[in-house]
């Protein structure tokens, strides 16, 4: 007897997204929501329909490097998939980057922009990668106040005209490694009003961009991140030839296989300092803040997409005499995942709100400290949740989840990059410690969490108490460990600290969402998400993360 299964299907990905719609209802003034909603409906239709189908059908159309033309000329051309070419036009026209800079929605422009991204992202094979870097480059140039570069590049990076729009690369990683950027080897030699760069960039994502921001050490500068400078370069000369850059090969990656990630040799690439000739690591951090936020938004978009497919399939797939959606164990499994996703969503968009306020000049000092602390937490917690949810979602399809032409394995492969690029979980945990050192304490997070759960609906009081206990524990552990003067102890516990704070904030924001939905028809779901999330566990702090057992186990 043949083995037939009904594939999962998606409807309009805005209409079907109760979490996004509820959040926007609570966050955007009615007139702004009315203006933004047609854009979301249009992208939601593509994300559940035509573009989604194309992304499954074109799953093998990977980019190809053509180093030489037929006549032996070095061209370094990268042929992109039809879906990526469509995505390039679509994103310019729909303003996926531009929306943040046009500021039509004032301080809520980042919420507007990232809602668009979140709805569309899973349907275009990680075209979010060049867009994240483009957004990050525009922001970094604006922060630098380098007027010549701002005038040259920002209008192109934020253009809605597909013929004029540029994307940007962010070339940081070298053969010496991706985390410890300060040991980069690329050298910058002065050449008139510019510099010439010599070195190798080991991972350069989306190498088809027109420009890049990159780091190099001006000759004579000291070692370390402070001795690097931030440079702007254009990838091709006006005649179309490469600007002293060779594409050595495209990377063979586990996932994000449509993203043309390359190894590059810079052999005299003409480049311009963005902001002086030192402090390159510090000067590129505005870009990191933006790309890390993109990472989180795409992580929650991916979680929702995977769960939408798994939930649809659960209603259709009959096994052992009933639909999976009626099987208690399957329901328990999916409920835990849905709660995780909803918490991740709310935390991510809280960071997005703060970013928008910062750019509109409306951030208080307290909120600025909160944003600095939240950015690494949001990136690292959602990266891990995205992988766990993608893995479980594949499993929810049984063997079909492991078969390429269902389009499902890509969900897991593409999710796996989220905790790696833009700073691994551990590097970001250490960044949280750096942020605590700057902001002075965890108080901004404690206050945010306390505010979110105060006055909560009675059924959620136990969740609120669990959240407050977790934050108190985290604060007490940090204070005690710092006082004991053991930096190794703080470092070893940094991931647990970040996870606990992130999970506490996610649960707290779920409580707030449930409380502010109290008078609404669909209030049952956010409250259920808050309770289920808390049951998944919040506090991960242990007193002595680097105990003797850890040493014995690792050797
Ligand atoms: C789906 C979305 C797609 C996303 C697109 C992805 C495209 C993929 C492209 C890539 O993956 S590019 C590679 C990404 N690479 C990284 O994210 C680097 C990871 N490593 C780190 O983040 C390290 O923590 C870091 C390189 C920053 C450490 O360098 P240092 O030189 O040891 O940093 P140091 O000395 O602690 O800090 C230098 C200054 O920068 C300090 O300022 P001050 O001098 O004023 O004290 C720091 O406070 C500041 N700083 C560092 N990190 C910061 C920061 N400021 C704000 N935010 C931060 N995150």
């Amino acid at each position: 007897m043949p083995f037939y299964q009904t594939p999962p299907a998606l409807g309009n990905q805005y209409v079907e997204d109760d979490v996004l719609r509820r959040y926007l209802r609570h966050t955007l003034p009615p007139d702004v929501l009315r203006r933004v909603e047609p854009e979301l409906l249009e992208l939601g239709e593509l994300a559940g329909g035509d573009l989604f189908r194309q992304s499954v059908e074109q799953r093998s159309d990977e980019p190809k490097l053509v180093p030489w033309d037929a006549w032996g000329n070095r061209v370094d051309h990268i042929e992109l998939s039809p879906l990526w070419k469509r995505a390039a036009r679509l994103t310019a026209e729909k303003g996926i980057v531009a929306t943040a800079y046009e500021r039509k929605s004032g301080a809520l422009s980042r919420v507007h922009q990232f809602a668009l991204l979140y709805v569309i992202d899973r349907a275009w094979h990680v075209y979010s990668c060049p867009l994240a870097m483009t957004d990050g480059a525009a922001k970094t140039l604006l922060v630098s106040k380098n007027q010549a570069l701002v005038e040259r590049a920002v209008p192109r990076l934020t253009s809605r005209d597909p013929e004029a729009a540029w994307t940007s690369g962010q070339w940081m990683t070298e053969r010496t490694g991706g985390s410890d950027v300060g040991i980069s080897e690329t050298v910058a030699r002065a050449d008139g009003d510019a510099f010439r760069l010599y070195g190798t960039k080991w991972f350069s994502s989306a190498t088809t961009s027109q420009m890049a921001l990159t780091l190099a050490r001006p000759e004579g500068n000291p070692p370390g991140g402070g001795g690097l400078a931030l440079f702007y370069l254009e990838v091709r000369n006006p005649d179309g030839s490469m600007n002293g850059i060779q594409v050595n090969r495209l990377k063979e990656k586990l996932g994000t296989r449509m993203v043309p990630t390359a190894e590059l040799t810079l052999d005299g690439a003409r480049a311009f300092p963005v902001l002086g000739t030192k402090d390159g690591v510090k000067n590129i951090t505005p870009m990191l803040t933006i790309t890390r936020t993109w990472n989180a938004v795409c992580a929650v978009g991916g979680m929702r997409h995977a769960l939408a497919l798994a939930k649809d399939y659960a209603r259709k797939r009959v096994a052992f005499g009933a639909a999976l959606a009626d099987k208690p164990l399957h329901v328990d499994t999916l409920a835990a995942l849905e709660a995780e996703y909803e918490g991740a969503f709310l935390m991510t968009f809280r960071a997005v709100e703060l970013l928008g306020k910062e750019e509109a000049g409306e951030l208080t000092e307290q909120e600025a400290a909160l944003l600095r602390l939240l950015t690494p937490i949001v990136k690292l917690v959602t990266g891990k949740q995205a992988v766990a949810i993608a893995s479980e979602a594949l499993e929810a399809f049984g063997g079909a989840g492991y078969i390429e032409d269902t389009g499902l394995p890509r969900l897991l492969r593409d999710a796996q990059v989220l905790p790696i690029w833009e700073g691994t979980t551990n590097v970001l945990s250490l960044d949280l410690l750096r942020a605590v050192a700057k902001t002075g304490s965890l108080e901004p997070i404690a206050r945010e969490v306390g505010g979110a759960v105060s006055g909560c609906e009675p059924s959620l009081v136990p969740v609120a108490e669990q959240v407050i206990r977790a934050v108190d524990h985290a604060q007490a552990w940090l204070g005690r460990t710092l006082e004991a003067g053991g930096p190794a102890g703080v470092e070893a516990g940094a991931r647990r600290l970040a996870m606990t704070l992130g999970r506490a904030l996610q649960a707290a924001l779920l409580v707030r969402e449930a409380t502010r939905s109290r008078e609404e028809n669909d209030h049952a779901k956010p409250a259920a998400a808050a309770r289920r999330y808390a049951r998944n566990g919040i506090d991960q702090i242990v007193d002595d993360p680097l105990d003797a057992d850890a040493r014995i186990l690792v050797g």
Side-chain angles (χ1 to χ4, degrees), residues 146-284:
N146 182 325
Q147 230 22 60
L149 294 181
V150 167
E151 278 167 25
R152 168 103 185 124
V154 173
R156 293 171 164 92
L157 296 172
T158 59
S159 173
R160 280 184 183 257
D161 174 0
E163 306 305 329
W166 280 7
T167 57
S168 174
Q170 170 194 358
W171 301 348
M172 290 178 72
T173 304
E174 302 201 357
R175 285 175 298 194
T176 43
S179 297
D180 187 1
V181 175
I183 56 176
S184 295
E185 294 172 325
T186 296
V187 170
R189 284 192 197 129
D191 179 25
D193 63 343
F195 280 76
R196 297 276 173 187
L197 308 191
Y198 299 87
T200 302
K201 296 292 173 182
W202 189 239
F203 275 97
S204 63
S205 297
T207 315
T208 42
S209 293
Q210 287 81 1
M211 61 157 281
L213 295 185
T214 191
L215 298 172
R217 196 176 311 281
E219 283 182 315
N221 270 18
L228 294 168
L230 176 59
F231 285 96
Y232 164 95
L233 61 79
E234 289 176 17
V235 175
R236 290 184 184 267
N237 298 313
D239 66 1
S241 61
M242 292 291 269
N243 170 21
I245 299 164
Q246 284 174 5
V247 182
N248 299 332
R249 58 174 166 167
L250 296 183
K251 293 287 199 188
E252 272 284 342
K253 292 168 294 176
L254 170 70
T256 65
R257 291 185 66 90
M258 300 298 159
V259 180
T261 307
E263 289 169 25
L264 303 177
T265 297
L266 308 187
D267 186 16
R270 191 151 185 267
F272 299 88
V274 174
L275 187 55
T277 53
K278 59 186 175 69
D279 294 330
V281 166
K282 184 182 164 88
N283 291 337
I284 204 168

Side-chain angles (χ1 to χ4, degrees), residues 19 22-23 118 296 299-300 303-304 307 335-351 374 377-378 381-382 385 389 501-513 525-526 528-534 536:
V19 175
R22 185 180 304 107
Y23 167 78
Y118 158 85
V300 285
M303 292 179 221
R304 204 203 83 80
L307 285 170
L337 303 180
E338 176 72 19
E340 290 291 310
Y341 143 68
E342 293 195 16
F345 174 94
L346 292 173
M347 178 175 73
T348 298
F349 274 83
R350 178 67 184 125
L374 271 193
I377 293 176
V378 167
V381 179
T382 58
Q385 288 172 309
I389 288 179
L501 295 171
R503 294 193 65 74
L505 186 56
Q506 291 192 3
L509 292 172
L510 283 168
V511 169
R512 185 183 68 162
E513 193 70 340
K525 189 157 175 257
R531 284 189 293 272
R532 180 58 68 147
Y533 188 98
N536 290 348

Side-chain angles (χ1 to χ4, degrees), residues 23 346-354 357 363-364 366-371 373-374 377-378 441-455 464 467-468 471 475 501-502 504-513 516:
Y23 167 78
L346 292 173
M347 178 175 73
T348 298
F349 274 83
R350 178 67 184 125
V352 165
E353 286 167 31
L354 292 169
K357 279 184 89 173
L363 211 56
T364 64
Q366 177 77 22
E367 287 172 327
L370 178 63
L371 178 59
L373 294 165
L374 271 193
I377 293 176
V378 167
S441 75
L442 296 175
E443 201 44 42
I445 294 184
R447 206 169 307 187
E448 174 77 7
V449 166
V453 300
S454 79
V467 162
I468 299 290
V471 175
Q475 282 184 298
L501 295 171
L505 186 56
Q506 291 192 3
L509 292 172
L510 283 168
V511 169
R512 185 183 68 162
E513 193 70 340
R516 62 188 188 179

Side-chain angles (χ1 to χ4, degrees), residues 128-129 132-133 170 172-173 178-179 181-182 205 225 281-282 285 288-289 291-292 294-295 298 372 418 421-423 427 431 434 438:
S128 41
C129 171
M133 299 187 294
Q170 170 194 358
M172 290 178 72
T173 304
S179 297
V181 175
S205 297
V281 166
K282 184 182 164 88
T285 55
L288 297 180
T289 299
T291 49
R292 287 170 183 173
W294 274 72
N295 206 85
C298 294
R372 176 66 186 95
L418 296 167
W421 66 8
E422 294 309 323
V427 164
D431 189 51
R434 187 191 280 111
K438 284 263 180 201

Side-chain angles (χ1 to χ4, degrees), residues 4-26:
Y4 293 127
Q5 292 179 26
T6 311
L10 298 176
N12 184 305
Q13 290 301 281
Y14 174 63
V15 173
E16 292 186 352
D17 191 335
D18 62 301
V19 175
L20 173 65
R21 283 189 293 112
R22 185 180 304 107
Y23 167 78
L24 292 180
R25 209 162 62 217
H26 294 152

